């Protein structure tokens, strides 16, 4: 059926009607006073979301563009960096850093496991000459549904003095990412994830310490030169033509978030994560991420004996529910349920009912019909 496709993937995520309607307008001039007002308002909203007094800059880019900007503005060729690699996105940041001739040292964990914060501590403490210039970590590793222990890792980084550069693309807006409290120096994210917006905007938060590093960083940059964005943002403006209509949407989405409140937003994501995980357990479907290391934005499931791609295909064709598949070597091995952004408890129950019906059709009979939905409902109403 047209227009009924339900996005239960970790981006793009569903966009609320009031955000869609806010964008259904002609663009205004981006050098106008009206646009400056929007710019001022969304910048304040972004600082609120990042829990920071420092800068949050807005780019016309995907999340990768924001992350690339977060790396190249603060480092120089040959700089030694530690990159946490326990999934597709961690690997991507290692590749970006290598593309810019940084001296990359990977700290790895098996896909599905969290990074070991102690490995970062050991490396950082051994670096008495302070050669390590930055540590790059993906907070919520979307490819596996694992939440890395950013708070502990950033504590070690702060003690050492290197920059803490974070991919918070699927943690921002799902769980607390208190930039100032944790001492995070650079945070990258993208509009199509927890922001309840279509793709197209990238966000980079920058600490004072990162701006100090910017002054001596020599990697080449032009469009992604964050100094330009900062200079313009201080005048409530942009260095280049921004996607004006997405800014209307950002304004509406941040208002919605502020009405709901940070604590309520985080509680909703954690509740939906717990409900989804309880349902998988009740249905005998193994969870890919362990308790205590699970992302509040996404649940990855490794169904033994059933092809995950077959489940996804039936879910989409018959029930108009889109789940995400496994990436790289996990294709066919796992499916991923996104519960990020504009997702209500009803959406969780709907997706779980569709999953139960799909498994029934596939002859998967290790659970009593209704067991998953019932387990989820218990969590949602607790
Ligand atoms: C989606 C995502 C990104 C950004 O991907 P783009 O396609 O460039 O927007 C980066 N990191 C994580 C963890 C993501 O989930």
């Amino acid at each position: 059926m047209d227009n009924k496709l339900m996005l239960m993937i970790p981006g793009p995520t569903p966009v609320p009607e009031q955000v869609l309607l806010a964008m259904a307008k002609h663009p205004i001039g981006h050098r106008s006073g009206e646009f400056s007002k929007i710019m001022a308002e969304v910048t304040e909203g972004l600082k609120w979301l990042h829990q920071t007094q420092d800068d949050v800059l807005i780019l016309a880019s995907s999340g990768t563009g924001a992350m690339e900007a977060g790396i190249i503005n603060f480092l120089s060729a040959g700089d030694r960096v530690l990159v946490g690699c326990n999934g597709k996105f961690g690997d991507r940041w290692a590749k970006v850093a290598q593309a810019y001739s940084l001296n990359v040292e990977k700290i790895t964990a098996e896909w599905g496991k969290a990074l070991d914060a102690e490995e970062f501590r050991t490396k950082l403490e051994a670096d008495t000459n302070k050669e390590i210039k930055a540590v790059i970590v993906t907070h919520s590793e979307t490819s596996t549904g694992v939440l890395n222990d950013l708070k502990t890792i950033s504590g070690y980084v702060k003690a050492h003095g290197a920059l803490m550069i974070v991919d918070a693309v699927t943690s921002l807006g799902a769980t607390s990412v208190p930039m100032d409290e944790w001492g995070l120096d650079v945070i990258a994210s993208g509009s199509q994830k927890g922001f309840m917006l279509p793709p197209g905007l990238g966000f980079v938060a920058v600490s004072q310490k990162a701006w100090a590093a910017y002054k001596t960083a020599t990697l080449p940059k032009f469009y992604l030169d964050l100094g330009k964005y900062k200079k313009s943002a201080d005048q409530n403006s942009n260095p280049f033509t921004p996607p004006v209509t997405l800014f209307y949407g950002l304004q509406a989405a941040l208002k919605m978030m502020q009405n709901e409140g940070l604590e309520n937003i985080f509680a909703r994501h954690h509740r939906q994560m717990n409900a989804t995980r309880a349902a998988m357990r009740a249905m005998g479907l193994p969870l890919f991420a362990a308790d205590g290391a699970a992302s509040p934005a996404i649940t990855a499931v490794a169904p033994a004996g059933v092809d995950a791609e077959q489940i996804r295909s039936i879910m989409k064709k018959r029930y108009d529910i889109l789940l995400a598949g496994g990436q790289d070597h996990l294709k066919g091995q796992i499916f991923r349920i996104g519960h990020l952004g504009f997702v209500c408890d009803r959406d969780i129950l709907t997706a779980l009912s569709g999953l139960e019906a799909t498994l029934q059709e596939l002859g998967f009979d290790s659970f009593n019909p209704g067991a998953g939905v019932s387990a989820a409902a218990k969590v949602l109403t607790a």
Side-chain angles (χ1 to χ4, degrees):
M1 195 180 177
D2 273 0
N3 273 324
K4 281 297 254 186
L5 185 68
M6 185 181 174
L7 289 177
M8 296 296 284
I9 59 173
T13 60
V15 180
E17 279 72 9
Q18 61 205 93
V19 173
L20 291 170
L21 286 171
M23 293 187 296
K25 281 191 302 204
H26 290 289
I28 55 175
H30 63 291
R31 303 284 178 223
S32 65
E34 291 94 325
F35 190 80
S36 291
K37 264 194 208 147
I38 297 175
M39 188 65 195
E41 186 183 322
V42 297
T43 299
E44 276 313 302
L46 289 169
K47 289 183 182 189
W48 166 81
L49 183 63
H50 288 75
Q51 303 177 59
T52 187
Q53 306 292 322
D54 286 328
D55 296 301
V56 187
L57 306 169
I58 310 170
L59 311 175
S61 79
S62 82
T64 302
M67 200 57 195
E68 182 160 332
I71 293 172
I72 66 175
N73 278 275
F74 309 106
L75 295 163
S76 305
D79 278 355
R80 185 172 165 208
V81 295
L82 299 183
V83 183
C85 293
N86 59 335
K88 180 96 181 160
F89 289 100
D91 286 354
R92 181 178 295 178
W93 310 138
K95 283 182 195 155
V96 172
Q98 279 159 347
Y100 284 97
S101 304
L102 299 180
N103 175 7
V104 173
E105 206 167 316
K106 294 183 189 179
I107 294 192
T108 58
E110 202 184 316
W111 286 34
K113 301 273 187 301
L115 294 167
D116 181 359
E118 293 313 300
E119 280 187 49
F120 287 87
R121 185 175 62 82
T122 309
K123 289 265 186 208
L124 289 162
E125 283 180 1
D127 179 38
T128 46
N129 293 334
K130 306 291 177 193
E131 280 169 5
I132 298 170
K133 298 298 177 205
V135 174
I136 304 173
V137 165
T138 304
H139 190 192
S140 163
E141 181 40 89
T142 314
S143 62
T144 60
V146 165
L147 189 74
N148 285 311
D149 185 1
L150 179 61
K151 184 182 180 182
T152 304
I153 296 171
S154 63
Y156 297 146
V157 176
K158 203 171 174 183
H160 170 280
L163 291 177
M164 181 74 238
I165 300 177
V166 180
D167 169 348
V169 179
T170 55
S171 61
L172 200 70
T175 192
S176 190
V177 187
M179 176 166 179
D180 295 356
E181 188 190 325
W182 289 1
L184 311 175
D185 294 302
V186 179
I187 303 176
S189 63
S191 55
Q192 81 277 25
K193 306 286 174 99
F195 283 88
M196 311 188 289
L197 286 168
L201 294 178
F203 306 97
V204 194
V206 183
S207 75
Q208 294 303 321
K209 186 167 136 194
W211 282 126
Y214 170 87
K215 286 199 188 126
T216 55
T218 58
L219 282 175
K221 52 202 169 282
F222 186 83
Y223 180 73
L224 293 178
D225 181 346
L226 294 177
K228 291 189 175 79
Y229 290 84
K230 156 93 174 134
K231 202 167 154 221
S232 293
D234 285 346
Q235 312 290 323
N236 292 322
S237 186
N238 287 269
F240 311 109
T241 313
V244 170
T245 43
L246 278 171
F247 275 68
Y248 300 153
L250 177 60
Q251 188 182 26
L254 284 168
K255 249 184 221 149
M256 279 182 72
M257 287 191 193
Q258 286 172 325
N259 286 339
E260 186 175 359
L262 279 184
E263 291 311 316
N264 291 332
I265 293 172
F266 302 153
R268 172 166 56 83
H269 283 84
H270 283 86
R271 180 172 74 242
Q272 293 179 356
M273 166 188 79
N274 287 331
T276 306
R277 291 174 68 81
M280 295 308 128
R281 279 202 188 89
M283 294 161 79
L285 294 172
L287 293 159
F288 199 61
D291 286 344
S295 169
I298 181 142
T299 299
V301 183
V306 197
D307 180 0
E309 287 304 298
Q310 216 179 350
I311 294 175
R312 289 206 319 122
S313 156
I314 294 177
M315 287 285 280
K316 176 158 188 237
K317 210 169 61 192
R318 219 181 266 295
Y319 304 114
D320 299 293
I321 298 171
L322 188 64
L323 302 181
Q327 292 171 289
D328 293 353
H329 64 277
L330 293 177
K331 195 166 176 69
Q333 308 291 308
I334 64 168
F335 64 84
R336 295 173 297 146
I337 305 174
H339 29 81
L340 176 58
F342 188 55
V343 175
C344 69
D345 291 358
R346 181 190 65 213
D347 297 330
I348 298 293
L349 292 180
T350 304
L352 293 173
S353 321
L355 181 60
E356 286 205 4
T358 298
L359 290 169
Q360 187 171 301
E361 179 174 342
L362 287 168
F364 187 88
D365 56 7
S366 72
F367 65 97
N368 293 322
V373 172
S374 168
K378 273 190 196 121
V379 174
L380 294 176
T381 54

